[in-house]
Short mmCIF file of all heavy atoms in Angstrom, two decimals:
data_model
loop_
_atom_site.label_atom_id
_atom_site.label_comp_id
_atom_site.label_asym_id
_atom_site.label_seq_id
_atom_site.Cartn_x
_atom_site.Cartn_y
_atom_site.Cartn_z
N HIS A 499 30.48 -39.42 -38.07
CA HIS A 499 30.56 -38.20 -38.86
C HIS A 499 31.67 -37.26 -38.35
O HIS A 499 32.35 -36.60 -39.15
CB HIS A 499 29.22 -37.46 -38.86
CG HIS A 499 28.22 -38.03 -39.75
ND1 HIS A 499 28.28 -37.82 -41.13
CD2 HIS A 499 27.10 -38.78 -39.52
CE1 HIS A 499 27.27 -38.44 -41.70
NE2 HIS A 499 26.55 -39.02 -40.78
N VAL A 500 31.83 -37.20 -37.01
CA VAL A 500 32.90 -36.36 -36.43
C VAL A 500 34.28 -36.88 -36.90
O VAL A 500 35.15 -36.10 -37.31
CB VAL A 500 32.81 -36.38 -34.92
CG1 VAL A 500 34.03 -35.67 -34.30
CG2 VAL A 500 31.57 -35.69 -34.44
N ILE A 501 34.47 -38.19 -36.88
CA ILE A 501 35.76 -38.78 -37.25
C ILE A 501 36.09 -38.54 -38.69
O ILE A 501 37.16 -38.06 -39.05
CB ILE A 501 35.78 -40.27 -36.90
CG1 ILE A 501 35.67 -40.48 -35.38
CG2 ILE A 501 37.01 -40.95 -37.44
CD1 ILE A 501 35.39 -41.91 -34.95
N ILE A 502 35.12 -38.90 -39.56
CA ILE A 502 35.35 -38.73 -41.02
C ILE A 502 35.47 -37.26 -41.35
O ILE A 502 36.32 -36.86 -42.15
CB ILE A 502 34.21 -39.39 -41.83
CG1 ILE A 502 34.19 -40.90 -41.52
CG2 ILE A 502 34.37 -39.12 -43.30
CD1 ILE A 502 33.02 -41.64 -42.19
N GLY A 503 34.55 -36.43 -40.78
CA GLY A 503 34.64 -35.00 -41.05
C GLY A 503 35.95 -34.35 -40.60
O GLY A 503 36.47 -33.46 -41.27
N GLY A 504 36.43 -34.78 -39.45
CA GLY A 504 37.70 -34.23 -38.94
C GLY A 504 38.85 -34.57 -39.86
O GLY A 504 39.72 -33.72 -40.16
N ALA A 505 38.88 -35.83 -40.34
CA ALA A 505 39.92 -36.24 -41.29
C ALA A 505 39.81 -35.46 -42.63
O ALA A 505 40.82 -35.05 -43.24
CB ALA A 505 39.85 -37.74 -41.58
N TYR A 506 38.57 -35.24 -43.04
CA TYR A 506 38.33 -34.51 -44.30
C TYR A 506 38.76 -33.05 -44.19
O TYR A 506 39.29 -32.45 -45.13
CB TYR A 506 36.82 -34.58 -44.67
CG TYR A 506 36.50 -33.74 -45.85
CD1 TYR A 506 36.93 -34.10 -47.13
CD2 TYR A 506 35.71 -32.58 -45.75
CE1 TYR A 506 36.61 -33.35 -48.25
CE2 TYR A 506 35.39 -31.83 -46.85
CZ TYR A 506 35.84 -32.21 -48.07
OH TYR A 506 35.53 -31.43 -49.21
N LEU A 507 38.59 -32.45 -42.98
CA LEU A 507 39.02 -31.08 -42.79
C LEU A 507 40.52 -30.94 -43.04
O LEU A 507 40.97 -29.96 -43.68
CB LEU A 507 38.69 -30.63 -41.38
CG LEU A 507 39.08 -29.21 -41.00
CD1 LEU A 507 38.44 -28.17 -41.89
CD2 LEU A 507 38.71 -28.91 -39.52
N LEU A 508 41.30 -31.89 -42.60
CA LEU A 508 42.74 -31.86 -42.86
C LEU A 508 43.03 -31.95 -44.37
O LEU A 508 43.91 -31.26 -44.88
CB LEU A 508 43.44 -33.02 -42.12
CG LEU A 508 43.40 -32.96 -40.61
CD1 LEU A 508 44.03 -34.19 -40.00
CD2 LEU A 508 44.09 -31.70 -40.07
N VAL A 509 42.29 -32.84 -45.04
CA VAL A 509 42.49 -33.04 -46.50
C VAL A 509 42.17 -31.75 -47.24
O VAL A 509 42.95 -31.31 -48.12
CB VAL A 509 41.61 -34.18 -47.05
CG1 VAL A 509 41.70 -34.23 -48.58
CG2 VAL A 509 42.08 -35.52 -46.44
N ILE A 510 41.06 -31.11 -46.90
CA ILE A 510 40.64 -29.91 -47.64
C ILE A 510 41.58 -28.74 -47.39
O ILE A 510 41.83 -27.93 -48.27
CB ILE A 510 39.18 -29.55 -47.33
CG1 ILE A 510 38.53 -28.76 -48.47
CG2 ILE A 510 39.05 -28.73 -46.02
CD1 ILE A 510 37.04 -28.63 -48.40
N ILE A 511 42.17 -28.70 -46.21
CA ILE A 511 43.17 -27.62 -45.91
C ILE A 511 44.41 -27.85 -46.75
O ILE A 511 45.02 -26.89 -47.27
CB ILE A 511 43.54 -27.62 -44.42
CG1 ILE A 511 42.32 -27.09 -43.62
CG2 ILE A 511 44.76 -26.79 -44.15
CD1 ILE A 511 42.52 -27.20 -42.09
N LEU A 512 44.82 -29.10 -46.95
CA LEU A 512 46.04 -29.41 -47.71
C LEU A 512 45.86 -29.38 -49.19
O LEU A 512 46.80 -29.03 -49.91
CB LEU A 512 46.51 -30.83 -47.29
CG LEU A 512 47.01 -31.00 -45.86
CD1 LEU A 512 47.29 -32.47 -45.59
CD2 LEU A 512 48.22 -30.14 -45.59
N VAL A 513 44.65 -29.66 -49.69
CA VAL A 513 44.45 -29.85 -51.13
C VAL A 513 43.79 -28.69 -51.81
O VAL A 513 44.21 -28.25 -52.90
CB VAL A 513 43.67 -31.14 -51.39
CG1 VAL A 513 43.32 -31.30 -52.89
CG2 VAL A 513 44.46 -32.35 -50.91
N VAL A 514 42.69 -28.18 -51.23
CA VAL A 514 41.86 -27.16 -51.95
C VAL A 514 42.52 -25.82 -51.92
O VAL A 514 43.04 -25.38 -50.88
CB VAL A 514 40.45 -27.12 -51.30
CG1 VAL A 514 39.62 -25.97 -51.92
CG2 VAL A 514 39.71 -28.44 -51.54
N GLU A 515 42.50 -25.15 -53.08
CA GLU A 515 43.04 -23.81 -53.19
C GLU A 515 41.96 -22.84 -53.62
O GLU A 515 40.88 -23.28 -54.02
CB GLU A 515 44.19 -23.80 -54.21
CG GLU A 515 43.85 -24.46 -55.53
CD GLU A 515 45.09 -24.83 -56.31
OE1 GLU A 515 45.88 -23.87 -56.56
OE2 GLU A 515 45.29 -26.00 -56.65
N GLU A 516 42.23 -21.56 -53.57
CA GLU A 516 41.23 -20.56 -53.95
C GLU A 516 40.95 -20.63 -55.44
O GLU A 516 41.90 -20.71 -56.25
CB GLU A 516 41.73 -19.18 -53.58
CG GLU A 516 40.69 -18.05 -53.86
CD GLU A 516 39.40 -18.34 -53.12
OE1 GLU A 516 39.38 -18.36 -51.87
OE2 GLU A 516 38.40 -18.56 -53.83
N THR A 517 39.68 -20.61 -55.83
CA THR A 517 39.31 -20.67 -57.25
C THR A 517 38.44 -19.47 -57.64
O THR A 517 38.15 -19.34 -58.82
CB THR A 517 38.51 -21.96 -57.52
OG1 THR A 517 37.31 -21.96 -56.73
CG2 THR A 517 39.34 -23.19 -57.25
N ARG A 518 38.09 -18.60 -56.71
CA ARG A 518 37.26 -17.45 -57.07
C ARG A 518 38.18 -16.39 -57.73
O ARG A 518 39.06 -15.84 -57.10
CB ARG A 518 36.64 -16.88 -55.80
CG ARG A 518 35.73 -15.66 -56.08
CD ARG A 518 34.48 -16.06 -56.78
NE ARG A 518 33.66 -14.89 -57.15
CZ ARG A 518 32.60 -14.92 -57.94
NH1 ARG A 518 32.21 -16.09 -58.43
NH2 ARG A 518 31.95 -13.86 -58.21
N THR A 519 37.99 -16.15 -59.03
CA THR A 519 38.86 -15.29 -59.81
C THR A 519 38.98 -13.90 -59.23
O THR A 519 40.11 -13.39 -59.13
CB THR A 519 38.33 -15.20 -61.26
OG1 THR A 519 38.25 -16.51 -61.82
CG2 THR A 519 39.26 -14.34 -62.11
N SER A 520 37.87 -13.30 -58.83
CA SER A 520 37.95 -11.91 -58.31
C SER A 520 38.77 -11.81 -57.04
O SER A 520 39.47 -10.81 -56.81
CB SER A 520 36.52 -11.38 -58.03
OG SER A 520 35.87 -12.20 -57.09
N VAL A 521 38.77 -12.87 -56.24
CA VAL A 521 39.54 -12.87 -54.99
C VAL A 521 41.03 -13.04 -55.31
O VAL A 521 41.89 -12.37 -54.70
CB VAL A 521 39.03 -14.00 -54.06
CG1 VAL A 521 39.98 -14.11 -52.85
CG2 VAL A 521 37.59 -13.70 -53.61
N ILE A 522 41.36 -13.92 -56.24
CA ILE A 522 42.74 -14.09 -56.66
C ILE A 522 43.32 -12.81 -57.23
O ILE A 522 44.43 -12.37 -56.87
CB ILE A 522 42.87 -15.23 -57.68
CG1 ILE A 522 42.41 -16.56 -57.07
CG2 ILE A 522 44.30 -15.36 -58.18
CD1 ILE A 522 42.33 -17.69 -58.09
N LEU A 523 42.56 -12.18 -58.07
CA LEU A 523 43.00 -10.90 -58.67
C LEU A 523 43.12 -9.82 -57.61
O LEU A 523 44.00 -8.96 -57.68
CB LEU A 523 42.04 -10.47 -59.77
CG LEU A 523 42.05 -11.26 -61.06
CD1 LEU A 523 40.94 -10.83 -62.00
CD2 LEU A 523 43.40 -11.16 -61.76
N GLY A 524 42.25 -9.86 -56.62
CA GLY A 524 42.29 -8.87 -55.53
C GLY A 524 43.60 -8.99 -54.77
O GLY A 524 44.23 -7.98 -54.39
N LYS A 525 44.06 -10.23 -54.55
CA LYS A 525 45.33 -10.46 -53.87
C LYS A 525 46.51 -9.97 -54.70
O LYS A 525 47.51 -9.42 -54.18
CB LYS A 525 45.48 -11.92 -53.49
CG LYS A 525 44.51 -12.38 -52.43
CD LYS A 525 44.68 -13.87 -52.14
CE LYS A 525 43.71 -14.33 -51.03
NZ LYS A 525 43.82 -15.79 -50.76
N LEU A 526 46.41 -10.24 -56.03
CA LEU A 526 47.49 -9.76 -56.91
C LEU A 526 47.54 -8.24 -56.94
O LEU A 526 48.63 -7.65 -56.91
CB LEU A 526 47.22 -10.30 -58.30
CG LEU A 526 47.44 -11.80 -58.51
CD1 LEU A 526 47.00 -12.23 -59.93
CD2 LEU A 526 48.89 -12.19 -58.28
N ALA A 527 46.36 -7.60 -56.95
CA ALA A 527 46.31 -6.14 -56.97
C ALA A 527 46.90 -5.59 -55.63
O ALA A 527 47.61 -4.59 -55.64
CB ALA A 527 44.89 -5.66 -57.13
N HIS A 528 46.61 -6.29 -54.55
CA HIS A 528 47.14 -5.88 -53.23
C HIS A 528 48.68 -5.97 -53.23
O HIS A 528 49.35 -5.05 -52.69
CB HIS A 528 46.56 -6.76 -52.15
CG HIS A 528 47.13 -6.48 -50.79
ND1 HIS A 528 46.79 -5.36 -50.05
CD2 HIS A 528 48.02 -7.17 -50.02
CE1 HIS A 528 47.45 -5.37 -48.90
NE2 HIS A 528 48.22 -6.47 -48.86
N ARG A 529 49.21 -7.02 -53.85
CA ARG A 529 50.68 -7.15 -53.92
C ARG A 529 51.28 -6.04 -54.74
O ARG A 529 52.34 -5.49 -54.42
CB ARG A 529 51.01 -8.53 -54.55
CG ARG A 529 50.76 -9.73 -53.62
CD ARG A 529 51.10 -10.99 -54.32
NE ARG A 529 52.50 -11.06 -54.73
CZ ARG A 529 53.07 -12.06 -55.46
NH1 ARG A 529 52.24 -13.04 -55.87
NH2 ARG A 529 54.32 -12.05 -55.75
N LEU A 530 50.57 -5.67 -55.83
CA LEU A 530 51.04 -4.58 -56.66
C LEU A 530 51.06 -3.26 -55.90
O LEU A 530 51.99 -2.46 -55.98
CB LEU A 530 50.22 -4.45 -57.92
CG LEU A 530 50.51 -5.42 -59.04
CD1 LEU A 530 49.41 -5.37 -60.10
CD2 LEU A 530 51.84 -5.08 -59.67
N ARG A 531 49.96 -2.99 -55.16
CA ARG A 531 49.93 -1.76 -54.37
C ARG A 531 51.03 -1.70 -53.36
O ARG A 531 51.65 -0.66 -53.13
CB ARG A 531 48.54 -1.63 -53.73
CG ARG A 531 47.40 -1.38 -54.70
CD ARG A 531 46.15 -0.94 -54.00
NE ARG A 531 45.65 -1.95 -53.08
CZ ARG A 531 44.76 -2.90 -53.40
NH1 ARG A 531 44.31 -2.98 -54.63
NH2 ARG A 531 44.37 -3.78 -52.50
N LYS A 532 51.26 -2.84 -52.70
CA LYS A 532 52.27 -2.91 -51.67
C LYS A 532 53.69 -2.79 -52.24
O LYS A 532 54.55 -2.12 -51.66
CB LYS A 532 52.15 -4.26 -50.92
CG LYS A 532 53.07 -4.40 -49.71
CD LYS A 532 52.82 -5.70 -49.01
CE LYS A 532 53.79 -5.84 -47.80
NZ LYS A 532 53.59 -7.15 -47.10
N THR A 533 53.89 -3.42 -53.39
CA THR A 533 55.23 -3.43 -54.00
C THR A 533 55.57 -2.08 -54.65
O THR A 533 56.69 -1.57 -54.50
CB THR A 533 55.32 -4.53 -55.11
OG1 THR A 533 55.03 -5.75 -54.51
CG2 THR A 533 56.71 -4.55 -55.73
N THR A 534 54.62 -1.49 -55.33
CA THR A 534 54.88 -0.25 -56.08
C THR A 534 54.58 1.01 -55.27
O THR A 534 55.05 2.10 -55.63
CB THR A 534 54.00 -0.21 -57.36
OG1 THR A 534 52.62 -0.14 -57.00
CG2 THR A 534 54.27 -1.45 -58.24
N GLY A 535 53.74 0.88 -54.25
CA GLY A 535 53.34 2.08 -53.50
C GLY A 535 52.24 2.84 -54.22
O GLY A 535 51.84 3.92 -53.73
N ASP A 536 51.80 2.36 -55.35
CA ASP A 536 50.74 3.00 -56.17
C ASP A 536 49.41 2.40 -55.77
O ASP A 536 49.17 1.21 -56.02
CB ASP A 536 51.02 2.81 -57.65
CG ASP A 536 50.18 3.73 -58.52
OD1 ASP A 536 49.07 4.06 -58.07
OD2 ASP A 536 50.62 4.08 -59.62
N GLN A 537 48.55 3.23 -55.20
CA GLN A 537 47.27 2.71 -54.66
C GLN A 537 46.17 2.63 -55.74
O GLN A 537 45.03 2.31 -55.43
CB GLN A 537 46.80 3.61 -53.54
CG GLN A 537 47.73 3.66 -52.37
CD GLN A 537 47.99 2.27 -51.77
OE1 GLN A 537 47.06 1.52 -51.52
NE2 GLN A 537 49.28 1.92 -51.63
N ARG A 538 46.52 2.89 -56.97
CA ARG A 538 45.50 2.90 -58.04
C ARG A 538 45.18 1.51 -58.55
O ARG A 538 44.16 1.31 -59.24
CB ARG A 538 45.94 3.76 -59.19
CG ARG A 538 46.02 5.25 -58.85
CD ARG A 538 46.56 6.06 -60.02
NE ARG A 538 47.95 5.75 -60.33
CZ ARG A 538 48.63 6.27 -61.35
NH1 ARG A 538 48.03 7.10 -62.18
NH2 ARG A 538 49.90 5.94 -61.57
N TYR A 539 46.01 0.54 -58.27
CA TYR A 539 45.76 -0.82 -58.81
C TYR A 539 44.60 -1.49 -58.07
O TYR A 539 44.54 -1.49 -56.85
CB TYR A 539 47.03 -1.67 -58.68
CG TYR A 539 48.18 -1.11 -59.49
CD1 TYR A 539 49.32 -0.62 -58.85
CD2 TYR A 539 48.11 -1.05 -60.86
CE1 TYR A 539 50.38 -0.09 -59.57
CE2 TYR A 539 49.17 -0.50 -61.60
CZ TYR A 539 50.27 -0.05 -60.95
OH TYR A 539 51.29 0.49 -61.68
N ARG A 540 43.72 -2.08 -58.82
CA ARG A 540 42.60 -2.85 -58.25
C ARG A 540 42.25 -3.99 -59.18
O ARG A 540 42.58 -3.99 -60.34
CB ARG A 540 41.39 -1.95 -58.05
CG ARG A 540 40.83 -1.30 -59.29
CD ARG A 540 39.70 -0.33 -58.96
NE ARG A 540 39.21 0.39 -60.13
CZ ARG A 540 38.24 -0.04 -60.92
NH1 ARG A 540 37.67 -1.23 -60.65
NH2 ARG A 540 37.86 0.63 -61.98
N ALA A 541 41.57 -4.99 -58.63
CA ALA A 541 41.22 -6.17 -59.35
C ALA A 541 40.02 -5.94 -60.27
O ALA A 541 39.14 -5.18 -59.94
CB ALA A 541 40.88 -7.32 -58.39
N TYR A 542 40.07 -6.58 -61.42
CA TYR A 542 38.93 -6.51 -62.32
C TYR A 542 37.76 -7.27 -61.73
O TYR A 542 37.91 -8.40 -61.29
CB TYR A 542 39.27 -7.12 -63.68
CG TYR A 542 38.10 -7.24 -64.62
CD1 TYR A 542 37.58 -6.12 -65.27
CD2 TYR A 542 37.52 -8.47 -64.83
CE1 TYR A 542 36.49 -6.23 -66.11
CE2 TYR A 542 36.40 -8.58 -65.68
CZ TYR A 542 35.92 -7.45 -66.31
OH TYR A 542 34.83 -7.58 -67.15
N SER A 543 36.60 -6.64 -61.68
CA SER A 543 35.43 -7.32 -61.14
C SER A 543 34.19 -6.71 -61.80
O SER A 543 34.12 -5.54 -62.10
CB SER A 543 35.32 -7.11 -59.62
OG SER A 543 34.10 -7.59 -59.13
N LEU A 544 33.17 -7.63 -61.99
CA LEU A 544 31.91 -7.15 -62.51
C LEU A 544 31.08 -6.43 -61.48
O LEU A 544 30.08 -5.79 -61.76
CB LEU A 544 31.09 -8.34 -63.07
CG LEU A 544 31.72 -9.06 -64.30
CD1 LEU A 544 30.91 -10.26 -64.65
CD2 LEU A 544 31.84 -8.13 -65.48
N ASP A 545 31.46 -6.55 -60.20
CA ASP A 545 30.69 -5.98 -59.11
C ASP A 545 31.49 -4.95 -58.32
O ASP A 545 31.50 -4.93 -57.11
CB ASP A 545 30.23 -7.13 -58.18
CG ASP A 545 29.31 -8.08 -58.83
OD1 ASP A 545 28.45 -7.65 -59.59
OD2 ASP A 545 29.48 -9.31 -58.61
N ASP A 546 32.25 -4.14 -59.05
CA ASP A 546 33.12 -3.17 -58.39
C ASP A 546 32.40 -2.27 -57.42
O ASP A 546 32.91 -1.93 -56.38
CB ASP A 546 33.80 -2.30 -59.46
CG ASP A 546 35.08 -2.95 -59.95
OD1 ASP A 546 35.60 -3.84 -59.25
OD2 ASP A 546 35.56 -2.56 -61.07
N ASN A 547 31.19 -1.84 -57.78
CA ASN A 547 30.50 -0.86 -56.98
C ASN A 547 29.60 -1.42 -55.89
O ASN A 547 28.88 -0.68 -55.23
CB ASN A 547 29.67 0.04 -57.90
CG ASN A 547 30.53 0.79 -58.92
OD1 ASN A 547 31.64 1.26 -58.55
ND2 ASN A 547 30.08 0.93 -60.15
#
Side-chain angles (χ1 to χ4, degrees):
H499 281 286
V500 172
I501 294 168
I502 297 175
Y506 175 69
L507 179 59
L508 295 177
V509 172
I510 206 167
I511 290 173
L512 294 173
V513 174
V514 173
E515 50 197 304
E516 184 57 64
T517 60
R518 182 70 185 171
T519 302
S520 60
V521 173
I522 297 172
L523 289 174
K525 291 179 179 178
L526 290 173
H528 176 73
R529 288 178 61 185
L530 279 169
R531 291 193 298 269
K532 184 177 179 181
T533 303
T534 65
D536 193 332
Q537 299 302 310
R538 293 176 294 176
Y539 297 115
R540 60 187 176 87
Y542 173 75
S543 173
L544 295 175
D545 298 318
D546 272 342
N547 298 322

